[in-house]
């Protein structure tokens, strides 16, 4: 079965620091990749997604992620975080080529940004 | 409404009781998913409905869990004889028919089994 690994459980940064959250998946075929964010007290929402084409994708609020196929990775980055980025971030993958439409999620990384 | 609606938002029950959780997806979305979110465990897939196809029940943790979707819209997740380990937030999500997989989530139903 496919799996998604997020390397960091909890990341604490000061405002203006750069962010990189790691995500690796285990499936070798065609994948769709996603990052979802859950702000405190709110529901999960899509941050960005990759289906094909340019492996560097840009999402909302200045976030971007790079798909590196050879490394089975889809790391999330932001050059300068803000206090409002405090949230939990989930990487997810599905495998349409394998007929699997369900999203498999990582366990999440909690980001705390200190003002 | 414009988003995925779930009810109840909070449910406290006693061990051994049955509970029903409801999900009303975004109008026109043919795919509906149930996930369970436990502290430190991320999101665990439970079940997936797509149109009139047979549901993918591969994520249901035991036969105490079941779900149905009536008329291709509203879904109900039923947990029979609840156990304390069933305590979690149950999330419903819907998506359009295409394969992009973008899910729109509801606020969740927080279940506490005493």
């Amino acid at each position: 079965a496919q799996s998604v690994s997020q390397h960091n459980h909890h990341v604490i940064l000061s405002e203006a620091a750069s962010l990189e959250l790691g995500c690796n998946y285990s499936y070798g075929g065609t994948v769709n990749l996603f990052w979802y964010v859950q702000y405190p007290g709110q529901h999960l929402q899509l941050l960005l997604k990759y289906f094909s084409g340019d492996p560097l994708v840009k999402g909302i609020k200045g976030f971007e992620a790079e798909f590196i196929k050879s490394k089975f990775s889809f790391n999330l980055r932001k050059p300068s975080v803000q206090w409002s980025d405090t949230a939990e971030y989930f990487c997810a993958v599905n495998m349409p080529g394998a007929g699997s439409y369900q999203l498999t999620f990582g366990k999440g990384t909690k980001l705390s940004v200190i003002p | 409404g414009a988003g995925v609606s779930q009810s109840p938002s909070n449910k406290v029950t006693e061990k051994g009781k049955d509970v029903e959780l409801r999900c009303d997806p975004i109008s026109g979305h043919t795919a509906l998913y149930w996930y369970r979110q436990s502290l430190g465990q991320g999101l665990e897939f439970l079940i997936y409905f797509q149109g009139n196809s047979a549901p993918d029940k591969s994520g249901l943790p035991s036969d105490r869990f079941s779900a149905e979707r009536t008329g291709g819209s509203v879904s109900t997740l039923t947990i029979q004889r609840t156990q304390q380990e069933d305590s979690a937030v149950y999330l419903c999500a819907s998506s359009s028919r295409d394969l992009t997989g973008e899910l729109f989530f509801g606020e969740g139903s927080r279940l506490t089994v005493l």
Side-chain angles (χ1 to χ4, degrees), chain B residues 47-57:
Chain B
I47 189 168
Y48 160 67
F49 297 89
Q50 172 60 280
N52 295 321
S53 302
D56 176 356
K57 303 180 181 180

Side-chain angles (χ1 to χ4, degrees), chain A residues 32 34 36 38 41-44 46 49 51 90 94 96 101-103 105-107, chain B residues 33 35 37 40-43 45 48 56 58 91 99-103 105-107:
Chain A
N32 295 328
F34 306 80
Y36 280 80
Q38 189 171 30
Q42 296 187 26
H43 62 87
L44 277 157
L46 183 69
K49 60 188 177 184
F51 301 137
F90 294 89
N94 72 358
Y101 309 131
Q102 57 158 291
L103 282 182
F105 285 83
K107 293 190 175 183
Chain B
Y33 304 74
Y35 283 85
Q37 186 176 22
Q41 296 301 311
L43 277 76
F45 167 75
Y48 160 67
D56 176 356
S58 60
L91 295 171
L99 300 179
T100 61
E102 179 175 353
L103 270 57
F105 283 86
E107 302 275 354

Side-chain angles (χ1 to χ4, degrees), chain A:
Chain A
Q2 68 274 19
S3 66
V4 178
S5 298
Q6 292 184 241
H7 313 302
N8 308 101
H9 177 62
H10 191 185
V11 173
I12 302 173
L13 295 173
S14 297
E15 275 193 316
S18 64
L19 169 72
E20 181 160 3
L21 302 182
C23 173
N24 287 90
Y25 60 94
S26 63
Y27 183 66
T30 300
V31 293
N32 295 328
L33 296 156
F34 306 80
W35 277 96
Y36 280 80
V37 60
Q38 189 171 30
Y39 297 104
Q42 296 187 26
H43 62 87
L44 277 157
Q45 55 188 284
L46 183 69
L47 197 57
L48 48 77
K49 60 188 177 184
Y50 171 81
F51 301 137
S52 63
D54 188 344
L56 184 63
V57 292
K58 296 189 184 297
I60 60 172
K61 303 185 179 184
F63 285 90
E64 65 179 31
E66 185 175 13
F67 170 51
I68 302 179
K69 188 174 182 179
S70 61
K71 295 185 178 180
F72 298 90
S73 70
F74 190 56
N75 292 355
L76 181 71
R77 299 194 294 248
K78 186 171 184 179
S80 176
V81 295
Q82 301 173 318
W83 176 78
S84 58
D85 294 325
T86 294
E88 191 157 15
Y89 294 81
F90 294 89
C91 182
V93 61
N94 72 358
M95 293 152 291
S100 175
Y101 309 131
Q102 57 158 291
L103 282 182
T104 299
F105 285 83
K107 293 190 175 183
T109 298
K110 184 177 179 181
L111 173 65
S112 298
V113 180
I114 302 169

